């Protein structure tokens, strides 16, 4: 047994305490600014123990969010039919998550929680932004202006979240009952515009975007 | 005082009971199928009393939903700059509701409730579909195939709900912080496609749409 050094040994619910600390740190600081060191300090354990239980920061984050989705596999699938098909594949993959017997309920649970609890909303945002949409967009950086990626990512998210609510949670008809192939055909062109379309930003728009994003970075986000 | 006839006199919380009954009937049957007669029967009062307290079915419905928005004024505003400007005006008006000091909190409250409580989701859907989006689309019936209106309305709703969540509830950046004029410019073309764009429905798609919508009607919706 480890000696008492002010740090807790592994025989209490250490992994639960690490997860609780990670939840707080990730939702308060966002994925990018969070560190294993901060999480370990909050849980009162050594950083090595966090790695031992949960692996990398990314793996820990996925355990906190707890949607059984493997981002790497998802992104491979989204790019599996070339850049042209990316918008269609995004909608397809997203509907696949919503309609999966394990992933659907997990996502809907998180989404419901996100609406009532600020921290769950922040986790959901961080998950989609950092793990999925930003990665997809950064693979398109030869065709998309990198300065526009965060804006495009948030627009894509707005449509996908709204689609999830309208089709699966509020059951807006006929969108809720038509087959998913039709939903893909209907929604993909709008996702395409958000990802690849000309946004016609004026110089003033571009300046405002920089101000907003710089402000966020300065605030430690 | 009225004699006891099995109907309650007006001196208890009759208006509260009528509202509760209306909430149940509207969310179970939808706006179109609900009637003042059914609501009065459930509240154990005379239909005339419902009209006395709440006016028409539409006025009662607006009291149940309790968003301080006047659909007629909203729709006049949406069409105020001609058909061309309708998509832009829809986004503008919607952001106006979200950013209004009374209307924003009311809408967000309803939306939060809608995610956790089925009946609130149904009311929200009925409100937007019947009171606003369907009315807008039916004024466009010379340019839009009437058979496609319910589908287009549910697609528009999906984007507007997602925009509300992403910008005002989950605070997805930079979408949450850019000024509303930019949001209108970014989102309006996507709303335009959902309202006026070619949806390229195949014959099979069109058949499925009819089946879904007919099924809903048969189910008393």
């Amino acid at each position: 047994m480890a000696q008492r050094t002010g740090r807790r040994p592994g025989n209490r619910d250490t992994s639960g305490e690490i997860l609780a600390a990670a939840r707080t740190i990730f939702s308060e600081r966002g994925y990018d600014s969070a560190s294993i060191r901060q999480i370990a300090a909050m849980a009162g354990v050594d950083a090595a123990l966090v790695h031992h239980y949960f692996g990398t920061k990314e793996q820990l984050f996925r355990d906190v969010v707890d949607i059984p989705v493997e981002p790497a596999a998802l992104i491979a699938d989204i790019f599996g039919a070339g850049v042209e098909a990316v918008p269609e594949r995004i909608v397809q993959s997203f509907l696949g998550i919503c309609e999966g017997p394990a992933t659907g309920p997990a996502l809907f649970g998180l989404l419901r929680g996100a609406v009532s609890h600020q921290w769950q909303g922040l986790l959901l945002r961080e998950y989609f932004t950092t793990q999925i949409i930003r990665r997809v967009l950064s693979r398109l950086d030869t065709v998309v202006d990198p300065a526009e990626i965060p804006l495009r990512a948030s627009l894509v998210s707005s449509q996908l979240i709204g689609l999830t609510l309208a089709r699966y949670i509020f059951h807006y008809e006929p969108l809720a009952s038509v087959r998913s192939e039709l939903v893909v055909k209907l929604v993909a062109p709008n996702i395409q515009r958000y990802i690849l379309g000309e946004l016609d930003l004026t110089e003033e728009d571009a300046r405002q975007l920089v101000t907003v994003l710089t402000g966020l970075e300065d605030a430690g986000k």
Side-chain angles (χ1 to χ4, degrees), chain A:
Chain A
M1 288 287 287
Q3 286 205 300
R4 289 208 139 264
T5 61
R7 289 184 172 147
R8 292 172 197 146
N11 58 351
R12 294 181 49 200
D13 180 18
T14 310
S15 75
E17 285 167 14
I18 293 170
L19 275 176
R23 198 173 84 177
T24 304
I25 298 281
F26 280 127
S27 58
E28 282 179 359
R29 310 194 180 198
Y31 177 77
D32 293 332
S33 303
S35 74
I36 292 281
R37 180 181 296 272
Q38 294 158 350
I39 292 165
M42 175 172 274
V45 300
D46 198 272
L49 196 64
V50 177
H51 287 296
H52 171 72
Y53 274 106
F54 294 100
T56 63
K57 178 170 102 169
E58 186 187 322
Q59 287 164 333
L60 172 58
F61 183 53
R62 296 220 308 267
D63 277 330
V64 168
V65 176
D66 200 23
I67 295 181
V69 168
E70 175 54 72
L74 192 68
I75 286 161
D77 192 48
I78 287 171
F79 282 89
V83 169
E84 296 281 294
V86 161
E88 203 177 288
R89 284 289 180 98
I90 286 179
V91 183
Q92 240 164 33
S93 306
F94 198 76
L95 296 181
I97 294 174
C98 291
E99 289 168 15
T103 47
L107 176 64
F108 303 155
L110 194 62
L111 200 54
R112 285 176 206 275
V115 172
S116 1
H117 306 291
Q118 180 87 347
W119 66 267
Q120 289 192 38
L122 293 165
L123 283 184
L124 187 69
R125 173 183 86 185
E126 290 298 308
Y127 182 80
F128 273 96
T129 309
T130 64
Q131 304 300 300
I132 301 174
I133 296 168
R134 201 199 284 169
R135 286 188 191 179
V136 170
L137 282 158
S138 61
R139 283 187 56 171
L140 297 170
D141 64 353
T142 50
V143 277
V144 172
D145 179 350
E148 293 177 354
I149 287 181
L151 181 62
R152 290 179 186 273
S154 60
L155 288 166
V156 170
S157 300
S158 81
Q159 175 61 86
L160 293 180
I161 289 172
L163 179 60
T164 310
L165 282 166
R167 180 168 161 92
Y168 301 103
I169 296 184
F170 298 159
H171 306 287
Y172 277 48
E173 295 293 1
L175 189 58
S177 298
V178 296
R179 63 191 204 293
S180 54
E181 291 79 4
L182 179 54
V183 178
V184 171
K185 187 163 85 175
L186 294 166
V187 176
N190 281 21
I191 297 292
Q192 158 129 36
R193 177 175 167 272
Y194 283 152
I195 294 179
L196 298 166
E198 183 51 67
L199 300 182
D200 294 317
L201 299 184
T202 62
E203 275 183 38
E204 196 197 332
D205 295 335
R207 258 198 311 276
Q208 206 206 356
L209 212 52
V210 171
T211 311
V212 167
L213 292 170
T214 314
L216 294 174
E217 270 168 33
D218 291 349
K221 288 258 347 185

